[in-house]
Amino acid sequence: MMESGVPLCNICGEQVGLSNNGEVFVACHECNYPVCKTCLDYEIKEGRNACLRCATPYDENEQESTNHAIVASHPDTAQDAGVHARTVSFVSTVDSEYHDDTGNPIWKNRVESWKEKKNKKKKNQSKAVVQEAAEVPPEQQMEEKPQLADAAEPLSRIIPVPKSQITPYRIVIIVRLIVLCLFFHYRVTHPVESAYPLWFISVFCEIWFAFSWVLDQFPKWSPINRETYLDRLSARYEREGEPCQLAPVDFFVSTVDPMKEPPLITANTVLSILAVDYPVEKVSCYVSDDGGSMLTFESLAETSEFARKWVPFCKKFAIEPRAPEFYFTQKFDYLKDKVQPSFVKERRAMKREYEEYKVRVNALVAKAQKTPEDGWTMADGTPWPGNNPRDHPGMIQVFLGHSGVHDIEGNELPRLVYVSREKRPGYQHHKKAGAENALIRVSAVLTNAPYILNLDCDHYVNNSKAIREAMCFLMDPQVGRDVCYVQFPQRFDGIDKSDRYANRNIVFFDVNMKGLDGIQGPVYVGTGTVFNRQALYGYSPSNLPTIHKSSSSFSCCCRRKKPAKEKDLTEVYREAKREDLNSAIFNLREIENYDDHERSLLISQMSFEKTFGMSSVFIESTLMENGGVPDSANPSTLIREAIHVIGCGYEEKTAWGKEIGWIYGSVTEDILTGFKMQCRGWRSIYCMPLRPAFKGSAPINLSDRLHQVLRWALGSVEIFLSRHCPLWYGFGGGRLKWLQRLAYTNTIVYPFTSLPLIAYCILPAVCLLTGKFIIPTLSNVASILFLGLFLSIIVTSVLELRWSGIGIEDWWRNEQFWVIGGVSAHLFAVFQGFLKMLAGIDTNFTVTTKAADDGEFADLYLFKWTTVLIPPTTILIVNLVGVVAGFSDALNKGYEAWGPLFGKVFFSFWVILHLYPFLKGLMGRQNRTPTIVVLWSVLLASVFSLVWVKINPFVSKDDPSAMVQNCIDMDC
């Protein structure tokens, strides 16, 4: 009970509000169960017309007065009877298209008339529901009370990190920040006069490292965990004797080149989707073949045939995982918990079937190794349309689903659709982002599920209940209304036990993402993500507060502001225009109730074509919040429309890739797409089930891993140089939280850390070779500051390990690869990003010189020489030479030289220790060092030594003793 005396709603936690007569609103006059007007109307709309506590039917007059009060109190908003409106984030239209000469909306009268129709229809439905509820015997209503109570419980809960763990962690962060300020005060006020350039470079690097630490640390201020309740989800949406109300889901699987992405791996991903633990009529799988390969098409045909046997086997015996390749190769006791006597026999038979299926797929791969001169031909003798991968028409093939194909037991199978979008020379196709946008449109026309899950072709479903886990958030009326996507962590197979190159990214997925979940949600990482389709369409969340347009107040408040703020005012005005569209969009939520003439008129007036493209069928699908395709739709007409929306020119002069769908402009379209959504006010959720939801494969050898990191870093640099940079984009609406903005800023500036990191890794060797040092003789106060800084760094890491639950080995591998990637891939990403964005030059660092090994984890020892390996190799050699030179100099100078040598050697060993996995990657297996590494080492060491002897910048030219010493050293 709040101080005002108005009770809180037991569903949403807000005040229940007042009724028209000024008294506290009461939903149930029988037990006075506190429910607000909005939640009551939502329950009635969902068909739950009885009190959640006592199961007493709601009074008919109360329902009508509630609906009337809501409509009357918000006549111009996009909220009607508890149904929240969506806001178009970008509509490329002209004001004259929406308003008449007086400035009023053209469609205002039509909207009001549709409101009256809808209200009358809802009143009639409410009367029918109440009458039906009244006819139910009292004893049957009493039996339904427990079920209603269970269904009303939340589907998930937040588990905050215990205060005993998070409070000391926060205290140490603040202490470390204070120590850093004192440390920099000392460093700036105590320069090293004898080595001023070294001191200046070191202080600059340390300041940048501190800035990077702040960007990385403070978004982890409030980490949380989450727990889901799958039983409650079933109790609410899968009631016995009633149709299943779980929301449909469209799965997207993307592939390009079947030679680099083996069809068998893609097929396993598809099979794991088709066998997922979810109602088959609610699942549709779309496979995007962006290379137009006949091999991918034929392998999917074989996969659809094998799925008729594999899917019922998985569901009958609750197989995990449901990707056959990974199920049959895992080492475990498959008889455990399998009590059916027929399991062993059927498992052996299924394994034989799978081996035969693999033989057929591998035969297709072998056949595809050599392309015929005249191109590939299909079974009927016609040429394959995709013979030219850069110039071919759009192709769609429905393999499973409503085509009548059932499994061997006669049950329906999920829909499986092959899609290859049109490719023509002269058009920009935008790689993966463009392919995903094409899948959005195709799926909207054919199935139009309200939720979308996208997976890479090598990420299979490892947990068959993963979709249900996501639905515990997305289908919860209180949690899911402003959730744009649910992100699952990425887990990987086939990685060596020590994880030499931090391929698992444990620190990112188990520490950073948990921290972001406590703010506005995790970033989108490209795969294993369940999207709200409406968020991809550029709509804003339903509970977003309205931005009122008031030109006078704007002019008054902003008259004295600097011109730099004018951009924010423009953005606010744009938001106000979006609010004007709400009334029309909200009325289209039930667009299937309108006749064709009204529908076409409204779509034309709103000029949705300029946003979504020239397809009325697709535009209608975007306005159906709960998804679905009209029952009267002709399948052949839908297929023709689907071919139309994947045309290469469909996106021209539309908002695709700019404001809706996957956003273009970066090779890391995932970060950019999630950022745009959260700038509109959406939030995301991080779901970490005990059994990993999805698993994939990762490049485990050094060269491939560095090229993967290079691509990610290049995408971050592209975003930094674009208009979507978090440093200046999205301030007008104020919907992106500040800690969330810090996190996104960290994702785009981390590659630039490579420059100070390389300088700092070379400084120890330079100090050893010159006899100088970056730190002056320490006083007692300075010693305490240095000790406090090191202790705060250690304690912060220990406490972070404590609340996150990760191991110290994973943390250490992450620290090592941060240095390895920073001095190699990140440096090249900065160089390539500036060349590409500023000069239009697209450099490509190719991988060459391969030498394979046999045995387990053979790829780990596969050596591929690439230019990315040059900087870390140079740093290693320079530091090794510096250590040798330092010890030699100390031996010559005597006992007093050993004290200063300790600090210099410590920093050199710190660099070598962090680069040790890189050194092991260069060496391969025992005594098998590649010749090219030896040549590079000798060459770089010789050049560095000769240059240093010839040009010593730290020896004064006017010092006679130094000149004499140089002459002696050079034997002159």
Side-chain angles (χ1 to χ4, degrees):
M1 193 77 66
M2 297 185 66
E3 294 180 0
S4 62
V6 179
L8 299 179
C9 174
N10 278 14
I11 297 179
C12 66
E14 301 292 337
Q15 289 187 349
V16 297
L18 303 177
S19 58
N20 294 334
N21 55 10
E23 298 179 356
V24 176
F25 178 77
V26 179
C28 177
H29 295 282
E30 191 71 23
C31 65
N32 292 329
Y33 186 62
V35 178
C36 68
K37 297 177 183 179
T38 303
C39 293
L40 171 63
D41 192 72
Y42 182 85
E43 294 294 316
I44 294 173
K45 178 180 177 295
E46 291 294 310
R48 295 184 282 273
N49 296 277
C51 177
L52 298 178
R53 176 186 289 174
C54 65
T56 302
Y58 293 126
D59 183 65
E60 176 183 348
N61 295 328
E62 184 66 37
Q63 295 179 31
E64 294 185 3
S65 63
T66 301
N67 292 338
H68 176 73
I70 293 176
V71 174
S73 61
H74 302 280
D76 295 326
T77 64
Q79 184 176 346
D80 182 58
V83 182
H84 300 285
R86 300 154 294 170
T87 309
V88 179
S89 288
F90 178 83
V91 181
S92 177
T93 52
V94 183
D95 290 346
S96 59
E97 296 180 3
Y98 298 101
H99 301 81
D100 57 19
D101 296 335
T102 62
N104 295 322
I106 297 175
W107 32 259
K108 184 176 181 180
N109 295 332
R110 183 176 287 107
V111 167
E112 295 299 329
S113 64
W114 283 337
K115 277 187 178 181
E116 294 177 3
K117 292 180 182 179
K118 277 180 59 177
N119 289 337
K120 290 180 180 179
K121 183 177 179 180
K122 287 186 176 182
K123 289 180 181 179
N124 296 332
Q125 291 177 347
S126 300
K127 291 179 180 179
V129 171
V130 172
Q131 291 176 359
E132 183 179 352
E135 296 174 358
V136 178
E139 58 273 11
Q140 186 173 348
Q141 293 182 13
M142 295 297 292
E143 292 177 0
E144 292 179 354
K145 285 182 181 179
Q147 185 178 7
L148 290 171
D150 292 340
E153 293 180 345
L155 303 181
S156 63
R157 73 183 180 102
I158 295 176
I159 306 176
V161 176
K163 290 185 178 180
S164 59
Q165 296 179 1
I166 197 65
T167 302
Y169 179 65
R170 292 172 177 171
I171 293 174
V172 172
I173 291 175
I174 299 300
V175 171
R176 182 173 172 181
L177 191 62
I178 296 173
V179 172
L180 269 175
C181 294
L182 296 175
F183 170 78
F184 284 125
H185 178 267
Y186 170 80
R187 291 285 281 136
V188 173
T189 56
H190 292 77
V192 182
E193 300 293 344
S194 60
Y196 196 86
L198 293 179
W199 168 84
F200 179 80
I201 293 173
S202 64
V203 171
F204 174 80
C205 295
E206 290 161 3
I207 292 175
W208 180 268
F209 295 150
F211 171 71
S212 300
W213 172 76
V214 169
L215 292 180
D216 181 69
Q217 188 67 65
F218 279 89
K220 297 182 285 188
W221 185 260
S222 302
I224 61 172
N225 298 294
R226 295 183 185 269
E227 183 179 9
T228 56
Y229 302 104
L230 300 183
D231 54 341
R232 296 179 185 177
L233 179 74
S234 298
R236 180 176 296 186
Y237 297 108
E238 293 182 293
R239 297 176 183 175
E240 187 175 356
E242 298 181 8
C244 177
Q245 297 181 7
L246 289 174
V249 181
D250 288 337
F251 289 75
F252 292 175
V253 179
S254 301
T255 183
V256 179
D257 188 351
M259 295 304 169
K260 296 180 180 179
E261 301 164 337
L264 193 61
I265 298 299
T266 305
N268 271 271
T269 300
V270 171
L271 289 169
S272 68
I273 293 173
L274 298 178
V276 74
D277 183 8
Y278 208 70
V280 293
E281 69 276 8
K282 308 284 186 179
V283 176
S284 300
C285 178
Y286 293 84
V287 180
S288 171
D289 177 19
D290 218 30
S293 171
M294 188 174 177
L295 173 58
T296 303
F297 180 86
E298 291 184 332
S299 64
L300 276 183
E302 292 287 349
T303 302
S304 63
E305 183 63 27
F306 177 71
R308 298 180 61 245
K309 305 171 185 177
W310 175 250
V311 172
F313 170 75
C314 291
K315 295 188 174 182
K316 181 178 180 180
F317 298 108
I319 298 300
E320 294 285 1
R322 300 190 176 181
E325 182 69 23
F326 302 95
Y327 170 70
F328 288 122
T329 56
Q330 61 183 350
K331 299 177 182 178
F332 75 111
D333 182 11
Y334 61 85
L335 296 178
K336 185 179 181 180
D337 300 329
K338 302 297 181 185
V339 295
Q340 298 94 329
S342 61
F343 172 68
V344 175
K345 181 179 179 181
E346 292 193 33
R347 184 183 186 277
R348 290 173 180 171
M350 184 53 60
K351 190 172 183 180
R352 286 195 300 269
E353 292 284 352
Y354 178 64
E355 294 297 332
E356 294 174 0
Y357 161 74
K358 285 176 63 176
V359 170
R360 294 194 297 271
V361 173
N362 289 332
L364 293 174
V365 174
K367 178 183 175 183
Q369 298 296 323
K370 187 176 181 180
T371 306
E373 294 181 0
D374 299 332
W376 299 104
T377 56
M378 294 185 289
D380 58 357
T382 57
W384 170 248
N387 277 324
N388 186 346
R390 299 182 180 179
D391 187 4
H392 64 81
M395 296 177 283
I396 296 177
Q397 174 66 44
V398 180
F399 286 107
L400 299 174
H402 299 292
S403 59
V405 179
H406 294 78
D407 63 26
I408 57 175
E409 297 181 358
N411 299 318
E412 186 180 355
L413 287 168
R415 178 172 293 196
L416 174 61
V417 183
Y418 169 88
V419 179
S420 181
R421 58 182 174 144
E422 183 183 14
K423 292 284 189 70
R424 299 298 181 193
Y427 286 90
Q428 179 62 263
H429 299 103
H430 302 289
K431 299 180 180 180
K432 180 182 177 181
E436 296 285 356
N437 285 338
L439 288 183
I440 293 178
R441 298 191 292 271
V442 169
S443 61
V445 171
L446 297 182
T447 53
N448 196 31
Y451 301 108
I452 294 171
L453 191 154
N454 80 299
L455 290 172
D456 290 342
C457 63
D458 59 346
H459 276 70
Y460 64 90
V461 181
N462 183 65
N463 182 351
S464 61
K465 297 183 182 295
I467 312 306
R468 296 177 180 269
E469 297 274 356
M471 291 301 124
C472 286
F473 304 106
L474 294 169
M475 295 191 68
D476 191 314
Q478 304 307 320
V479 177
R481 62 177 60 182
D482 61 345
V483 175
C484 55
Y485 59 83
V486 175
Q487 179 65 62
F488 291 89
Q490 293 184 19
R491 305 301 188 203
F492 302 97
D493 289 319
I495 298 176
D496 60 303
K497 187 177 180 180
S498 64
D499 193 14
R500 181 186 297 179
Y501 306 121
N503 286 278
R504 293 189 177 93
N505 286 324
I506 295 294
V507 173
F508 175 76
F509 287 112
D510 288 23
V511 180
N512 297 55
M513 296 288 265
K514 284 183 181 179
L516 291 177
D517 200 17
I519 311 173
Q520 201 171 339
V523 298
Y524 169 39
V525 295
T527 184
T529 315
V530 185
F531 283 97
N532 182 338
R533 187 185 283 267
Q534 297 299 312
L536 287 170
Y537 287 156
Y539 294 111
S540 293
S542 57
N543 60 352
L544 197 66
T546 302
I547 300 178
H548 297 285
K549 180 171 60 177
S550 177
S551 57
S552 59
S553 62
F554 285 157
S555 60
C556 178
C557 296
C558 301
R559 190 171 297 166
R560 296 183 180 179
K561 289 189 176 181
K562 297 180 180 179
K565 297 294 183 181
E566 292 179 359
K567 181 179 179 181
D568 295 342
L569 297 180
T570 303
E571 192 166 344
V572 172
Y573 176 72
R574 188 181 301 167
E575 293 293 340
K577 284 185 62 179
R578 293 170 191 159
E579 293 296 332
D580 291 340
L581 302 178
N582 278 340
S583 53
I585 296 172
F586 127 83
N587 280 279
L588 285 170
R589 289 169 183 261
E590 297 182 2
I591 194 171
E592 63 271 12
N593 297 328
Y594 309 145
D595 57 42
D596 293 337
H597 179 66
E598 289 178 326
R599 190 182 309 164
S600 60
L601 274 179
L602 188 56
I603 289 175
S604 176
Q605 289 170 0
M606 295 305 298
S607 295
F608 275 81
E609 295 92 342
K610 294 185 178 180
T611 300
F612 295 110
M614 300 296 292
S615 171
S616 60
V617 176
F618 173 73
I619 292 173
E620 289 182 19
S621 70
T622 65
L623 303 167
M624 299 177 186
E625 186 177 12
N626 296 321
V629 177
D631 296 333
S632 60
N634 187 344
S636 60
T637 303
L638 293 182
I639 290 292
R640 286 196 299 270
E641 193 67 24
I643 291 291
H644 168 61
V645 298
I646 60 174
C648 59
Y650 183 85
E651 295 183 356
E652 287 192 347
K653 298 181 180 180
T654 66
W656 284 101
K658 302 181 184 71
E659 298 292 332
I660 61 176
W662 269 259
I663 306 301
Y664 305 148
S666 172
V667 295
T668 53
E669 70 287 333
D670 46 2
I671 297 292
L672 197 52
T673 302
F675 173 66
K676 291 277 288 187
M677 291 180 183
Q678 294 190 341
C679 283
R680 299 186 189 111
W682 292 95
R683 68 187 180 99
S684 56
I685 282 180
Y686 197 49
C687 183
M688 295 183 64
L690 293 178
R691 180 179 179 86
F694 310 100
K695 279 191 174 182
S697 58
I700 64 173
N701 71 73
L702 178 60
S703 303
D704 288 344
R705 172 66 167 147
L706 289 178
H707 273 266
Q708 180 189 57
V709 174
L710 170 62
R711 187 178 65 85
W712 294 342
L714 176 59
S716 296
V717 175
E718 289 175 339
I719 297 175
F720 177 81
L721 298 174
S722 71
R723 72 182 185 92
H724 293 117
C725 178
L727 292 174
W728 51 73
Y729 181 84
F731 280 94
R735 298 167 182 174
L736 191 68
K737 296 184 179 180
W738 280 101
L739 287 180
Q740 195 79 12
R741 188 176 294 278
L742 279 183
Y744 275 110
T745 303
N746 186 43
T747 62
I748 59 112
V749 302
Y750 77 90
F752 297 97
T753 306
S754 60
L755 300 174
L757 183 60
I758 286 181
Y760 213 74
C761 287
I762 294 178
L763 279 178
V766 175
C767 291
L768 287 168
L769 290 169
T770 60
K772 309 295 182 181
F773 202 36
I774 59 176
I775 301 174
T777 303
L778 296 179
S779 62
N780 292 335
V781 176
S783 301
I784 294 174
L785 283 177
F786 276 87
L787 182 61
L789 180 60
F790 284 120
L791 287 178
S792 64
I793 293 173
I794 294 172
V795 174
T796 304
S797 302
V798 170
L799 292 177
E800 195 168 275
L801 294 178
R802 185 183 174 200
W803 66 254
S804 65
I806 67 173
I808 190 171
E809 183 180 6
D810 292 318
W811 174 84
W812 175 239
R813 292 301 186 197
N814 180 77
E815 291 295 311
Q816 287 181 312
F817 196 77
W818 175 74
V819 176
I820 295 172
V823 300
S824 58
H826 297 171
L827 176 67
F828 278 81
V830 173
F831 174 70
Q832 184 176 355
F834 274 97
L835 284 180
K836 182 177 180 180
M837 301 300 294
L838 301 180
I841 302 174
D842 193 1
T843 55
N844 200 5
F845 304 103
T846 57
V847 178
T848 58
T849 312
K850 301 181 180 180
D853 280 290
D854 298 328
E856 190 177 9
F857 302 118
D859 287 344
L860 179 64
Y861 308 104
L862 191 67
F863 182 81
K864 304 176 182 180
W865 179 253
T866 170
T867 49
V868 178
L869 302 178
I870 296 176
T873 305
T874 306
I875 292 174
L876 266 174
I877 296 171
V878 167
N879 277 276
L880 290 173
V881 171
V883 170
V884 174
F887 276 104
S888 301
D889 187 63
L891 289 173
N892 293 330
K893 290 185 177 180
Y895 177 78
E896 18 334 299
W898 288 95
L901 177 66
F902 174 76
K904 303 172 187 177
V905 171
F906 171 79
F907 285 109
S908 274
F909 274 117
W910 179 89
V911 174
I912 295 172
L913 191 62
H914 277 77
L915 292 177
Y916 178 68
F918 176 84
L919 184 61
K920 288 185 67 176
L922 289 181
M923 299 305 161
R925 286 191 184 273
Q926 297 177 357
N927 301 323
R928 298 186 62 177
T929 306
T931 306
I932 192 168
V933 175
V934 178
L935 294 176
W936 265 107
S937 302
V938 174
L939 177 62
L940 289 173
S942 302
V943 170
F944 181 81
S945 301
L946 291 173
V947 171
W948 191 263
V949 170
K950 183 67 176 175
I951 306 172
N952 191 344
F954 299 102
V955 176
S956 176
K957 305 303 180 184
D958 299 331
D959 187 357
S961 61
M963 296 296 293
V964 172
Q965 182 64 36
N966 282 343
C967 288
I968 295 174
D969 292 340
M970 298 177 65
D971 194 20
C972 57

